[in-house]
Amino acid sequence: MPEEQMANPGGQPSTAPAPSAPAARPLDTIDRAILRLLRTDGRASIRSVAEQVHVSRANAYARINRLLDDGVIRGFSALVDQERAGQGASAYVTLKIVQNSWRTVRKQLTALPGAAHIALVSGDFDVLLLVHTKDNRELRELVLTRIQSIPEVLSTRTLLVFEETDLGLEEGREGV
């Protein structure tokens, strides 16, 4: 990673920390401030981060590297306006799946075009899937043909997204 510019050579964050990742360490106020800054602007330079959190460039660089090494920061990515990128339909699809089939289903859902986020959850359904498609026709095809044809999927329910806001990225919002 160049000293002055945070860049993402790989493009995609990993889904989990490396198996040999060290045990989680508590984050201090400076670590949390660095994380807030990088969530808002993942391309912020080391110099900019250091100035905003009031530490030296060497300290900021070391802290960011530690956060990367510890798996706290899993990667850097671009925030995409789905509509402007030609993905006019977004939906959360809830799935009930065969017990103990999570790994198999996750692998198949990950390969779907437009799949943006997959979570194993508790409650009335087992999986929550966020998808982005060109239009409702493509969404219908994705749900009725691709997802419902997965043998371990027992049922689905589709919730259309009318508007989205990424809460962790709003100016002045507290939290990591």
Side-chain angles (χ1 to χ4, degrees):
M1 171 181 355
E3 181 179 336
E4 287 303 316
Q5 184 67 36
M6 301 294 298
N8 180 13
Q12 292 292 324
S14 66
T15 56
S20 62
R25 290 186 255 195
L27 302 179
D28 64 19
T29 56
I30 294 172
D31 291 333
R32 290 183 190 286
I34 289 171
L35 291 172
R36 274 193 303 276
L37 289 169
L38 292 178
R39 286 192 66 194
T40 303
D41 181 6
R43 295 177 52 175
S45 69
I46 296 291
R47 178 180 305 190
S48 172
V49 170
E51 288 172 358
Q52 292 182 61
V53 300
H54 310 292
V55 297
S56 70
R57 284 193 325 210
N59 189 335
Y61 186 77
R63 283 173 177 269
I64 291 169
N65 279 333
R66 180 179 48 81
L67 292 167
L68 283 162
D69 291 343
D70 287 354
V72 174
I73 297 175
R74 297 184 305 178
F76 298 90
S77 62
L79 295 173
V80 177
D81 182 316
Q82 297 299 329
E83 278 192 63
R84 294 184 62 90
Q87 303 294 86
S90 294
Y92 285 97
V93 182
T94 66
L95 294 83
K96 287 187 180 183
I97 61 174
V98 172
Q99 191 171 8
N100 298 320
S101 65
W102 164 241
R103 287 177 182 82
T104 303
V105 172
R106 179 181 56 197
K107 184 176 180 182
Q108 294 176 74
L109 294 176
T110 302
L112 292 174
H117 182 84
I118 303 166
L120 178 65
V121 297
S122 65
D124 293 337
F125 49 88
D126 305 305
V127 178
L128 182 62
L129 170 68
L130 173 61
V131 296
H132 304 290
T133 60
K134 182 176 82 174
D135 54 28
N136 283 344
R137 181 176 298 235
E138 195 174 284
L139 175 61
R140 179 182 182 275
E141 178 71 18
L142 181 70
V143 173
L144 296 181
T145 304
R146 302 284 300 270
I147 296 173
Q148 290 184 356
S149 70
I150 298 171
E152 297 85 1
V153 173
L154 301 173
S155 67
T156 64
R157 179 172 286 164
T158 303
L159 308 164
L160 292 177
V161 174
F162 297 125
E163 186 176 318
E164 292 181 87
T165 302
D166 290 317
L167 298 178
L169 306 173
E170 291 179 359
E171 194 69 30
R173 182 171 167 87
E174 291 302 313
V176 174

